[in-house]
Each structure stands twice: as structure tokens, then as C-alpha cells.
Amino acid sequence: MSELNKIALQIISNGKGILAADESTATMTKRLDSVKVNSNENSRLLFRQTLFSSLSMKECIGGVILYDETIRQKTTTGKTIPELINSKGALTGIKVDTGAKVLAGSKQEKVTEGLDGLRERLKDYYNLGARFTKWRGVYLISDKYPSDLSISANAHALARYAALVQETGMVPIIEPEVLMDGNHSAKDCFNKTSEVIKKCYEELELNNVNLSGTILKPNMILPGASSDEKISKEDVAELTLECLKNNVPSSVPGIAFLSGGQTEIEATANLNQINIKNNTDFIMTYSYGRALQQSALKFWSKDINNTIGTQEIFDHRAKMCTLAAKGKWSENLENS
Ligand code: 13P
């Protein structure tokens, strides 16, 4: 087993999942604005430190993805944030892309940037304690999107990123996110996501990336957020598993889904069903941002010094997600 494969398995085995707390300062400011908390370095640190100190970290969270600001911060007790995360038995991850920018040649689509100077930045992050990384490609979906150009440009960037990350001794999370925005059907999402993922693996193989030392972070197969289509969790699970089985090489150890705008309960119920039906060798777990943090953030915003109360809300969510990663969640556990 390679060192990179060991790291990947440490993050996602035994029902553990990933806490995606890597919102950029602009996105975190939007989240804090929505609950009427002033966004500044200290408030962002306090909320994140509160979550990372929670009891469920040891049992449920194998890795935490940070943003550049957070990986350099110290907690109020003097530990660095990576030291706090490590003390809970989890690994520190870091978002290393510099965001999705307008893709020249396709006015409405985006390509993720950040390859320039990446090798040097990765060394810095490794020295700060990071052992895995994230890069997110985003894809619009409609009858004409994603275009071949967007599929190809984002796959190319993801693969070059992944090769550089492995060179530095870290595990790259490959995140091609087909967005939920739009009125497309689940079948459209299935078809386009399949194309996107297939292209990513073509490029990853071309760039000699060791797939056993990577984690895929895809969207689940769902109808668009403004579509009228209603879909059962059984159908979400079936389509998602079919898409991944057809397009992800078997040397990939695991898949950690993004929540992408699903509610906390939807993201948990769908992951649970995927694990009940999992007919692949892939570990299937979570790498949730909003679906792990939303309720905790709302509660915390009422009294930012109520650490214990906020942690109880986060602990509940993390435990539910970990049960779902084992296929052992049920709706009645939500109220117990
Ligand atoms: P959500 O779970 O809120 O979609 O965030 C996950 C993520 O990391 C997006 O890049």
C-alpha cells in the first residue's frame, strides 16, 4: 500500500467523512451575513475553532479542508489550527485552487485557476501541516452545457493539479461539481456528470496520477434545483452508483460527496441509501460544507459564546452523516 493510499484511507475509512470548512473569505462572509454576524478574521476563526474542537471530531471526521486564512491561524489556546485538527485524530486539508474564472471561449462557463506557482504553494501548505488538498471544477448544466471546452479545460487543470499535489506527498481531492442550478432532469445530470467524470480520469491517467492516492468528490445525481421532477432517494442512489461504477477506475479508494445545496436531511438520507445499495468496491462517504455546518451556524449566530450548544448541534449532524456513510441512518434517529 502506498503512503498516499494510506492517507486517503485514513481520511475516509470506518464511516469517517470530511468537514469542508474551506469557504473563501468572500463565501464565508456571505454565510455570516445570512445569520447577521459580522465577518472578520476573529469571527471566522471562532466559528471554525468551535467546530474543530467538537467531541464528534474523533469519531466522525477523518479530515478537515481549510482555506488559506484558517491554516495560518492560531486558536485562542495558542495551538495552530492544524495542531487542533491533528489532536482530534483528523488530517488537515487545504483548498489550493484560486477560484473559478470566466472561461475564455465560452462566455457563461468557468474554468478553475491556480496552477501558476502551485508547486511552491504546496510546499508551504505541507510545512504548515496539510496532508491533503482540494481543487474544485464547476460545470453549468443546460441543453448546451457543459461544453466540450469546459469539460476538457477543467479536467486538464484538475489532472495537472493532482500530479503536483502527489509530487509534494499529499492526497489530492478531485472535485468536478456539476451544479444543481437549473431545471434539468436527473437523467440529464446523469449523462453530463458521466461525461465530466470520464474526461477527468482520461486526463488523470495521462498525467500519471496514482489513482489509489486520490479521493473523488462528485455531486450526487439529482434533478436541477428548479426542476419539477421529484426523485426518491432510491432513484438517487441507483443513478449515482451507476454513474460512478461506469466512469471511476476501480483503483480509486473512495468517493466523498459534496452536498451541493441539498438540505442536511436530504444529503444524509441520500448518502445512507447509496451505502445501503453500494454494489461497488468504493468507500462512499461525505465531504460536506453546508450540510454539516448550516444548523450549527444558525445556532451559533444567536450567541457566539455558546460553544457547547453549537458543538452539540454539529456533533448530531456529524454523527448522522457517519451513520449514513455506514448505511445505518434512519429518519427517526434525527429526533433522538
Ligand atoms: P457543500 O457541501 O456545501 O456543497 O460544499 C462542499 C464543497 O467543498 C464545495 O466545494
Side-chain angles (χ1 to χ4, degrees), residues 68-245:
D68 182 79
E69 174 184 80
T70 323
I71 199 170
R72 301 174 191 282
Q73 282 178 318
K74 279 202 169 133
T75 68
T76 41
T77 65
K79 273 188 188 158
T80 66
I81 290 286
E83 281 166 356
L84 170 63
I85 292 169
N86 290 346
S87 74
K88 303 293 179 191
L91 294 178
T92 296
I94 180 80
K95 168 193 170 78
V96 301
D97 66 67
T98 55
K101 309 282 159 58
V102 175
L103 172 61
S106 173
K107 285 197 187 83
Q108 292 189 45
E109 294 178 288
K110 293 190 168 166
V111 64
T112 301
E113 295 191 348
L115 289 172
D116 288 352
L118 182 58
R119 182 178 270 127
E120 290 67 35
R121 288 196 294 122
L122 290 172
K123 284 185 191 138
D124 186 29
Y125 288 136
Y126 187 94
N127 291 332
L128 288 164
R131 290 298 175 268
F132 73 105
T133 63
K134 179 186 116 172
W135 179 291
R136 171 175 173 259
V138 280
Y139 304 84
L140 279 183
I141 167 165
S142 70
D143 48 356
K144 59 177 178 180
Y145 296 136
S147 64
D148 289 349
L149 173 62
S150 143
I151 292 175
S152 159
N154 277 297
H156 173 86
L158 272 162
R160 285 187 52 203
Y161 139 81
L164 281 165
V165 170
Q166 289 194 333
E167 187 186 276
T168 320
M170 297 190 280
V171 165
I173 292 186
I174 317 291
E175 182 179 8
E177 177 176 6
V178 178
L179 294 168
M180 255 175 90
D181 307 339
N183 59 5
H184 53 274
S185 65
K187 191 70 199 159
D188 288 338
C189 179
F190 174 90
N191 289 334
K192 310 272 176 159
T193 303
S194 299
E195 248 186 276
V196 160
I197 293 179
K198 183 165 179 274
K199 185 68 181 172
C200 284
Y201 285 103
E202 278 173 27
E203 288 287 332
L204 286 160
E205 283 177 13
L206 189 64
N207 282 269
N208 300 316
V209 172
N210 164 11
L211 296 182
S212 77
T214 64
I215 296 169
L216 176 67
K217 175 164 172 164
N219 50 285
M220 292 180 193
I221 303 300
L222 295 162
S226 50
S227 142
D228 294 331
E229 185 181 341
K230 295 276 169 275
I231 188 169
S232 65
K233 55 184 190 297
E234 287 77 12
D235 287 345
V236 173
E238 192 180 318
L239 287 168
T240 303
L241 286 165
E242 187 66 19
C243 170
L244 297 170
K245 215 167 39 175

Side-chain angles (χ1 to χ4, degrees), residues 20 22 31 134 136 175 177 217 258-261 287-291:
D22 60 322
R31 303 261 193 275
K134 179 186 116 172
R136 171 175 173 259
E175 182 179 8
E177 177 176 6
K217 175 164 172 164
L258 57 95
S259 60
S287 175
Y288 293 162
R290 285 163 286 179

